[in-house]
Amino acid sequence: MQHHKVVIIGSGPAAHTAAIYLSRAELHPVLYEGMLANGIAAGGQLTTTTDVENFPGFPAGIGGSELMDAMRAQSLRFGTHVVTSTVSHLNLRKRPFELQLEEEDAASISADAVILATGASAKRLHLPGEEKYWQSGISACAVCDGAVPIFRNRELAVIGGGDSAAEEALFLTKYGSAVHVLVRRDKLRASSIMAKRLLAHPKIRMHYSCEAIECRGDGSLLTSLCIRGTTGAKEVTELPVSGLFYAIGHEPATQLVRGQIEVDADGYIRTEPGTSRTNVEGVFAAGDVQDKKYRQAVTSAGTGCIAALEAERWLSERETPVVVEERQAVNGSGQTYKENPQL
Ligand code: FAD
Ligand code: NDP
């Protein structure tokens, strides 16, 4: 059994920020970056996007994958040991905690402290026909799949009304002849800057208050999507699309700790407000796996920093318990009293 003081599970901005802090603190962290864990490449969700324009320090923007490569390089530079494997089991009921990797038969790693930074992954609707045409016209990542020839000069559809939907739809305008954006409510959730760009684009066709009900194809590729109004006559329309891209939000990747750690009603790991501490001592959570509200690269990095600092403090307190020695002191009236040097 290999033993480590602290391990980090994940490879997005939260994981790498934690790794940078822990390695600079000489705690020799081991970071398990995953091998397509939850269908996402090592580096996390930003590897599925083009330009990141809101991460501070890059006035001209930076490619998502490029940003994650730079974070990884920074983790390595300070001595983080990055392992390209997915953690398949984590036992938080034992001390030290035990981990097993996907390619192993039994737990082979133990750790005193764990930082969970497993992020989140795209939700799907599981419509009739979806399984058959998944990756044959249906995807949850326009940036990864949008450029393939089957989408060139064809009508495409994006489901969702948030920033991801806006970004994916705008990206797809480079390839498709038209991009239908299907929004379940009568308004977008996207930030105003993204919404403006979306609505101004000549290839975008907006459809509000509608839902997708079926994916149809020719046996090998998707050829159309049936949609239905959610208000009024609830008419069904068949859109002749060759591509369907989901952008309906994400699910926190908590399967490793299910039943072992406290989560909220939506499945996100609960952390003490303003901290990265979970209800299991020695286990810290950072990034999208514990944040259903902000879900940004910079907030993930921020909570990665908090998790590292808290893990570092927790480990040092365990190694060197604070001994409070009282001293004799004399007050202004000449009386002696016991003084606590920590106060
Ligand atoms: P994630 O980025 O979710 O990464 C977690 C990683 O952990 C994954 O690679 C996964 O494979 C790995 N993992 C999971 N389970 C395991 C396991 N068991 N073992 C090992 N590894 C595991 N935010 C912005 O601020 N600006 C943007 O412009 C922006 N654009 C976006 C565009 C898109 C299309 C999407 C989907 C999101 C975008 N975001 C953006 C949000 C941003 O990507 C996320 O908030 C951020 O990446 C979350 O970081 P994270 O560290 O929590 O983990
Ligand atoms: P969001 O949760 O923000 O939006 C999800 C969208 O999908 C909403 O419009 C939602 O509708 C819709 N939806 C959810 N479930 C269904 C369903 N079952 N059927 C149909 N529609 C559904 O997720 P995003 O992935 O868009 O964004 C996540 C985070 O990442 C956000 O914080 C966002 O700001 C950030 N991000 C930032 C970017 C940027 O700054 N450039 C780019 C991309 C993401 P409803 O509104 O009705 O709930």
Side-chain angles (χ1 to χ4, degrees), residues 48 80 115 119 167 212 285:
T48 69
T80 302
I115 295 182
E167 197 174 73

Side-chain angles (χ1 to χ4, degrees), residues 143-207:
V143 175
C144 323
D145 305 325
V148 304
I150 56 169
F151 301 133
R152 301 258 169 178
N153 301 316
R154 300 295 173 92
E155 291 193 35
L156 309 172
V158 172
I159 302 182
D163 279 332
S164 295
E167 197 174 73
E168 304 251 308
L170 287 167
F171 180 79
L172 290 169
T173 57
K174 290 194 226 177
Y175 308 106
S177 55
V179 181
H180 300 269
V181 179
L182 313 175
V183 184
R184 68 177 171 183
R185 286 190 291 154
D186 59 355
K187 59 179 176 216
L188 291 167
R189 180 188 286 273
S191 56
S192 59
I193 185 168
M194 295 299 286
K196 260 190 208 158
R197 280 184 202 166
L198 182 73
L199 300 177
H201 200 286
K203 282 192 184 175
I204 296 290
R205 312 274 180 271
M206 295 301 301
H207 303 255

Side-chain angles (χ1 to χ4, degrees), residues 109-121:
I109 302 150
S110 64
D112 295 326
V114 174
I115 295 182
L116 298 165
T118 46
S121 59

Side-chain angles (χ1 to χ4, degrees), residues 6-339:
V6 53
V7 299
I8 301 161
I9 308 174
S11 51
H16 281 297
T17 305
I20 292 162
Y21 275 77
L22 289 169
S23 50
R24 291 190 76 244
E26 300 192 340
L27 285 167
H28 312 292
V30 178
L31 180 152
Y32 297 95
E33 66 178 353
M35 176 87 88
L36 276 181
N38 300 317
I40 302 178
Q45 293 172 64
L46 286 185
T47 62
T48 69
T49 192
T50 47
D51 284 347
V52 178
E53 293 180 336
N54 49 14
F55 198 85
F58 301 96
I62 181 167
S65 292
E66 203 185 333
L67 177 59
M68 291 320 303
D69 287 347
M71 288 192 199
R72 189 178 190 272
Q74 201 171 347
S75 296
L76 289 170
R77 178 186 157 206
F78 293 110
T80 302
H81 181 41
V82 176
V83 180
T84 308
S85 293
T86 299
V87 177
S88 56
H89 292 93
L90 174 62
N91 188 345
L92 299 179
R93 295 189 176 98
K94 279 196 173 172
R95 299 279 167 161
F97 304 122
E98 283 185 2
L99 287 82
Q100 184 179 330
L101 303 182
E102 212 162 58
E103 57 274 18
E104 290 170 349
D105 297 332
S108 61
I109 302 150
S110 64
D112 295 326
V114 174
I115 295 182
L116 298 165
T118 46
S121 59
K123 282 188 193 162
R124 291 165 56 174
L125 287 178
H126 304 288
L127 299 172
E130 181 178 316
E131 247 1 279
K132 187 169 172 84
Y133 297 109
W134 182 254
Q135 294 299 324
S136 297
I138 310 179
S139 158
C141 177
V143 175
C144 323
D145 305 325
V148 304
I150 56 169
F151 301 133
R152 301 258 169 178
N153 301 316
R154 300 295 173 92
E155 291 193 35
L156 309 172
V158 172
I159 302 182
D163 279 332
S164 295
E167 197 174 73
E168 304 251 308
L170 287 167
F171 180 79
L172 290 169
T173 57
K174 290 194 226 177
Y175 308 106
S177 55
V179 181
H180 300 269
V181 179
L182 313 175
V183 184
R184 68 177 171 183
R185 286 190 291 154
D186 59 355
K187 59 179 176 216
L188 291 167
R189 180 188 286 273
S191 56
S192 59
I193 185 168
M194 295 299 286
K196 260 190 208 158
R197 280 184 202 166
L198 182 73
L199 300 177
H201 200 286
K203 282 192 184 175
I204 296 290
R205 312 274 180 271
M206 295 301 301
H207 303 255
Y208 292 99
S209 304
C210 67
E211 60 184 357
I213 52 173
E214 189 184 344
C215 305
R216 291 186 180 165
D218 60 8
S220 57
L221 292 174
L222 180 82
T223 53
S224 69
L225 178 68
C226 296
I227 64 169
R228 179 171 58 198
T230 52
T231 53
K234 300 195 175 174
E235 254 174 54
V236 174
T237 315
E238 191 168 348
L239 289 177
V241 296
S242 303
L244 166 63
F245 295 83
Y246 283 128
I248 57 170
H250 289 79
E251 233 163 291
T254 53
Q255 53 275 40
L256 267 186
V257 291
R258 201 159 286 156
Q260 303 188 74
I261 211 163
E262 209 179 311
V263 295
D264 71 10
D266 298 312
Y268 287 81
I269 296 177
R270 251 192 230 285
T271 48
E272 262 176 57
T275 79
S276 279
R277 288 196 290 273
T278 68
N279 68 317
V280 180
E281 212 186 300
V283 180
F284 305 85
D288 283 12
V289 74
Q290 52 86 58
D291 172 18
K292 67 178 168 206
K293 190 167 177 192
Y294 300 107
R295 291 178 296 177
Q296 297 294 305
V298 72
T299 49
S300 296
T303 53
C305 161
I306 294 171
L309 294 176
E310 284 177 344
E312 183 188 347
R313 184 171 307 162
W314 183 80
L315 285 164
S316 76
E317 281 172 7
R318 276 175 86 241
E319 275 168 14
T320 334
V322 180
V323 180
V324 180
E325 278 181 30
E326 290 179 330
R327 291 195 293 248
Q328 290 284 347
V330 181
N331 69 12
S333 326
Q335 293 164 321
T336 57
Y337 69 99
K338 285 190 174 164
E339 186 190 64

